[in-house]
Amino acid sequence: MKNVLLLFLISINLNYLAQSKKAVEIKIEKDEYWWAGLSSLGNQTPYTNQTNFSFDLYGDNKGNQAQPLLLSSKGRYVWSEDPIKYSFSDGLLTVTSKTGEILTGQEGDNLKSVYNYVSNKFFPSNGEIPDELLFTHPQYNTWIELMYDQNENDILKYAQSIIDNGYPPGVLMIDDNWQEDYGTWEFSSKRFKNPKAMIAKLHKMGFKVMMWVCPFVSADSQDFRQLAADGMLLLDKERTQDILWANTRNKAAVIRWWNGASACLDLSNPKAMKWFKDKLDYLIKEYGVDGFKFDAGDAQFYKGGIISFNKSIPNDHTRYFAELGLNYPLNEYRASWKMAGLPLAQRLRDKNHGWGDLRKLIPDQMSQSVMGYAYTCPDMIGGGQYTSFLKASTIDEELIVRSAQVHALMPMMQFSVAPWRVLTSEKYKQICLDMAKLHLKFGEHILKLAKEASKTGEPIVKPMELAFPGNGYEMIKDQFVLGNDIIVAPVVTKETYSRNVILPKGRWIDELGKKYRGGKTIEIEVPIERLPYFKKMK
C-alpha cells in the first residue's frame, strides 16, 4: 500500500501538478523562451518576457499546420484539445479558449524533456509513416512550370526534362487544374488525351504520381447539384433559416477562397467523406494514380454562418479533411489541425521568391518539429508563390541555389521551378543537381529517422535547443539538427560567403573532412557551392 501511494505521489510531482482551467495566466521568467503551435509564424519564435504578441487559433491556422500547444525552455507547457488564444504582454502569457479546457504543467526543466512528455501524452505517433519515396528521393511539382495550364504534353515534357538533366526520379505532383472542375475529379478531356497512358509512362520513367485535390465544389456543376440534393455540402445558415429558401435545395454555403467562390463538401458527414474517398479511389483504380496532394481545408474557410451535418467548430473541418489523407500513404498537406504524430506529409505554406522568406524556412520548419509534425517539407525550392516567377527578370539565381541547399538535408526536398530552365549559370545548375544527389545519398538515413519518429515521436529535424537543451541555443534560427548528431548550417543571406556556426561540446567533423572541438562558435568559409554540415564523432 505504501508503494502504491509513493508511485502516485511521484506521478503527480513529475507533471508539476498539471491543472485544467478555462483560462490561465503564466508569469514568464527572465531567461525563459516559449514556442507556440503555429508553423507559419515559427520565424517569430521563441517568445520571451519582452514579447508583445497575440494570436487566436480559433478558425485560423495561418495557412499552415497548427496545434493548441505552447512549450517553454523551462519545461513548462500549455495544451488544450480545443483552439486557444495566447497573448504575450508585459511579461505575462495569457491563454484562453472559447470551447475547451486548458491544461498546464511542467515536465523537467528544458525544451527536450517537456517535448518528450507532451508528444507521448497528447499526440503519440502511431507507428506509421507516409510513403517512403517522399523521404528518400527529391520530389517534383508541376505548379511553377505549368501553373493553371496542367496538360498531358507539358507534364510529360517536365518529367522527361528531370531525367534528361540527371535528376533522380521521385514523386511527381500534378497540381491544380488537371481536373474537369472543382469537385469533378476526372481528368479534363481538353487537356488530357490519354491520362492512363500518361501515368503509365511516368511510372516507367521511375515516378510515382500524385494529383492535387481540394474540398471545394464548383457551383452550378452537375456534381454540385447532386451533392446538394444528397445533403453532402456545407449549408448557409441564413438561407437555411430564411423561409424563402426553406423548401429548396439551394441552401449550400458559398465560400470565398483563392480560386473564387465555391460550395464545400461537408466532411463531418460520413456520406460526404465516403463520396470523396470513392472519387479518389477511382482515380487510383482507373488511372494508376499513386496518391494525392490535399490543398485548402484551412480553418478560416469555415468561419461564420456555416452549418454542418455534425456540430463542428471551424478547426474541426480542417481536421476532417486531413483525416481523409490517412487512407493514402502518398499524401501531402499544407493546412492541418492537431494531426501531429500521424503519417501525413506536411509542407510549409507557399513562400515568396525572396531572401526574407528564405530565412523563414528553417525556423518555420523547426516550429513544425516542436509541434510534433515530424514528416515535413520546407515549401518548394526557390519559393512556391507562382507570381514570383512571372517575369524572368525577377528571378534571383543565387537564391535558388541557396534554397536548394536549405532543402537538401531536410526530411523532404521539393523542386517545382526547373533549375535547368531558369538558371543561366552552368555552375549554379550543377550545384542544384548536386543538392538533389546529396538528398538521395542521405535518403536511407532520413528514412531511418522517419521510422524512428513513428515510434518515439522524436522529430527528424530539430532546432538546436531541442537537440542540445540548456546551452543557450534558443535563438539560433539559421542552423538545424538532422537526427541527433548532424548539424546543418546553410547560408540564407545574399552574397554571403562566410558564416558562424555554433557547435555543442564534443568532437565534430565537417563534410570536407575537417575536425573541430565543440563547445564554441567557429567561423567558416561558405562559397556558393558549399552546404556545410557537421557530424558528431564518437
Side-chain angles (χ1 to χ4, degrees):
M1 186 67 182
K2 289 182 179 179
N3 289 338
V4 173
L5 179 60
L6 179 61
L7 288 172
F8 175 72
L9 291 173
I10 290 173
S11 67
I12 293 177
N13 184 55
L14 286 175
N15 195 25
Y16 195 68
L17 299 176
Q19 299 179 41
S20 179
K21 300 179 180 179
K22 286 285 187 181
V24 298
E25 189 173 85
I26 298 171
K27 184 176 181 180
I28 304 171
E29 297 181 21
K30 185 177 180 180
D31 56 347
E32 185 175 23
Y33 298 82
W34 285 85
W35 288 261
L38 203 59
S39 62
S40 60
L41 295 183
N43 55 89
Q44 296 182 6
T45 63
Y47 301 119
T48 70
N49 65 349
Q50 300 298 308
T51 300
N52 284 289
F53 177 75
S54 180
F55 195 87
D56 190 349
L57 291 172
Y58 185 91
D60 194 353
N61 56 292
K62 201 71 175 176
N64 240 164
Q65 299 80 26
Q67 192 88 313
L69 174 71
L70 295 114
L71 296 181
S72 152
S73 61
K74 297 293 186 181
R76 297 201 278 182
Y77 69 87
V78 177
W79 169 263
S80 177
E81 293 295 336
D82 291 82
I84 57 175
K85 179 180 180 180
Y86 53 91
S87 301
F88 293 86
S89 180
D90 299 324
L92 291 176
L93 166 59
T94 304
V95 186
T96 58
S97 177
K98 296 178 181 178
T99 55
E101 296 288 318
I102 299 167
L103 189 66
T104 63
Q106 181 167 353
E107 182 68 22
D109 60 0
N110 59 58
L111 181 61
K112 184 175 183 179
S113 61
V114 72
Y115 173 82
N116 289 339
Y117 172 77
V118 298
S119 65
N120 283 300
K121 184 171 180 62
F122 301 122
F123 40 91
S125 297
N126 72 349
E128 299 176 10
I129 66 171
D131 192 289
E132 294 184 1
L133 194 62
L134 292 166
F135 302 99
T136 59
H137 288 62
Q139 305 165 14
Y140 307 91
N141 187 300
T142 61
W143 179 238
I144 298 299
E145 290 298 303
L146 304 185
M147 300 183 191
Y148 287 102
D149 187 22
Q150 305 291 322
N151 66 86
E152 183 174 323
N153 289 336
D154 287 334
I155 288 168
L156 288 172
K157 286 180 183 177
Y158 179 60
Q160 189 61 53
S161 68
I162 292 168
I163 304 299
D164 291 345
N165 284 278
Y167 283 76
V171 171
L172 180 69
M173 301 182 187
I174 298 176
D175 218 287
D176 183 11
N177 213 32
W178 61 270
Q179 71 281 358
E180 285 285 1
D181 216 338
Y182 299 116
T184 304
W185 301 113
E186 180 61 80
F187 284 90
S188 167
S189 58
K190 296 178 182 178
R191 297 188 294 277
F192 294 87
K193 294 180 180 178
N194 192 338
K196 190 170 186 177
M198 176 193 75
I199 291 176
K201 187 170 184 178
L202 291 170
H203 285 163
K204 191 174 181 179
M205 295 166 70
F207 294 98
K208 284 189 175 182
V209 182
M210 296 175 69
M211 311 303 297
W212 181 96
V213 296
C214 70
F216 292 112
V217 179
S218 293
D220 299 327
S221 66
Q222 182 176 342
D223 284 289
F224 167 83
R225 289 189 288 273
Q226 187 61 54
L227 288 164
D230 292 341
M232 289 191 276
L233 298 175
L234 292 171
L235 301 180
D236 184 303
K237 185 176 181 180
E238 289 187 8
R239 284 196 168 187
T240 302
Q241 295 175 344
D242 192 328
I243 192 171
L244 293 175
W245 300 95
N247 297 315
T248 75
R249 292 174 176 173
N250 193 13
K251 306 174 190 176
V254 176
I255 297 171
R256 297 276 176 184
W257 63 300
W258 64 82
N259 278 327
S262 305
C264 187
L265 285 168
D266 179 1
L267 296 178
S268 76
N269 185 341
K271 284 176 59 179
M273 185 71 84
K274 182 181 183 302
W275 180 91
F276 204 170
K277 184 177 183 300
D278 287 346
K279 294 293 183 181
L280 302 185
D281 290 347
Y282 168 78
L283 291 169
I284 292 173
K285 183 178 180 179
E286 179 65 21
Y287 298 105
V289 168
D290 299 293
F292 302 96
K293 171 181 175 176
F294 296 89
D295 205 0
D298 300 83
Q300 66 261 29
F301 295 135
Y302 306 98
K303 290 179 72 174
I306 297 295
I307 295 178
S308 57
F309 179 82
N310 284 320
K311 187 176 180 180
S312 306
I313 62 172
N315 304 61
D316 290 335
H317 292 284
T318 301
R319 181 170 53 83
Y320 301 146
F321 186 48
E323 287 172 347
L324 176 63
L326 295 173
N327 294 290
Y328 308 98
L330 190 57
N331 63 69
E332 185 199 81
Y333 279 87
R334 173 190 53 74
S336 276
W337 170 249
K338 285 176 56 183
M339 299 302 287
L342 297 174
L344 300 176
Q346 302 282 354
R347 180 176 62 85
L348 289 179
R349 67 177 299 174
D350 294 354
K351 297 286 194 291
N352 289 314
H353 180 70
W355 290 94
D357 273 13
L358 180 64
R359 284 189 287 276
K360 294 178 181 179
L361 289 184
I362 294 176
D364 285 3
Q365 187 101 356
M366 296 306 102
S367 180
Q368 289 178 314
S369 296
V370 172
M371 290 157 53
Y373 292 100
Y375 318 119
T376 53
C377 178
D379 192 29
M380 302 170 187
I381 290 167
Q385 189 60 260
Y386 78 96
T387 54
S388 300
F389 296 93
L390 296 178
K391 294 182 179 179
S393 60
T394 63
I395 295 175
D396 187 325
E397 297 195 18
E398 181 189 355
L399 174 64
I400 292 176
V401 170
R402 292 302 196 189
S403 179
Q405 291 170 344
V406 171
H407 281 240
L409 295 180
M410 288 290 190
M412 301 177 192
M413 179 186 203
Q414 187 173 130
F415 289 92
S416 188
V417 69
W420 54 88
R421 180 183 67 83
V422 299
L423 299 179
T424 59
S425 164
E426 292 300 320
K427 180 179 180 179
Y428 285 7
K429 291 178 184 179
Q430 184 61 47
I431 296 170
C432 288
L433 177 58
D434 290 344
M435 292 301 104
K437 291 180 176 179
L438 180 64
H439 186 85
L440 190 67
K441 177 182 175 181
F442 274 82
E444 289 302 318
H445 180 64
I446 293 172
L447 179 60
K448 178 184 176 183
L449 294 174
K451 290 178 177 178
E452 290 175 0
S454 75
K455 299 173 183 177
T456 66
E458 189 173 345
I460 299 171
V461 289
K462 306 178 182 71
M464 290 284 289
E465 183 62 24
L466 182 57
F468 306 101
N471 289 288
Y473 298 156
E474 295 91 349
M475 297 303 295
I476 297 176
K477 300 184 182 185
D478 61 352
Q479 59 185 69
F480 63 92
V481 186
L482 176 63
N484 289 305
D485 60 354
I486 298 175
I487 292 175
V488 187
V491 168
V492 291
T493 53
K494 188 174 178 63
E495 296 178 352
T496 300
Y497 307 109
S498 66
R499 63 157 295 166
N500 291 336
V501 178
I502 297 174
L503 295 177
K505 291 180 180 179
R507 297 173 63 236
W508 299 82
I509 183 169
D510 70 14
E511 83 287 357
L512 302 175
K514 186 175 181 180
K515 298 177 182 178
Y516 301 85
R517 188 166 296 280
K520 60 183 177 181
T521 300
I522 62 172
E523 184 177 0
I524 61 171
E525 297 300 314
V526 192
I528 187 66
E529 67 273 12
R530 185 181 183 192
L531 169 61
Y533 58 93
F534 304 78
K535 183 171 177 57
K536 193 169 187 179
M537 300 173 67
K538 296 181 180 179

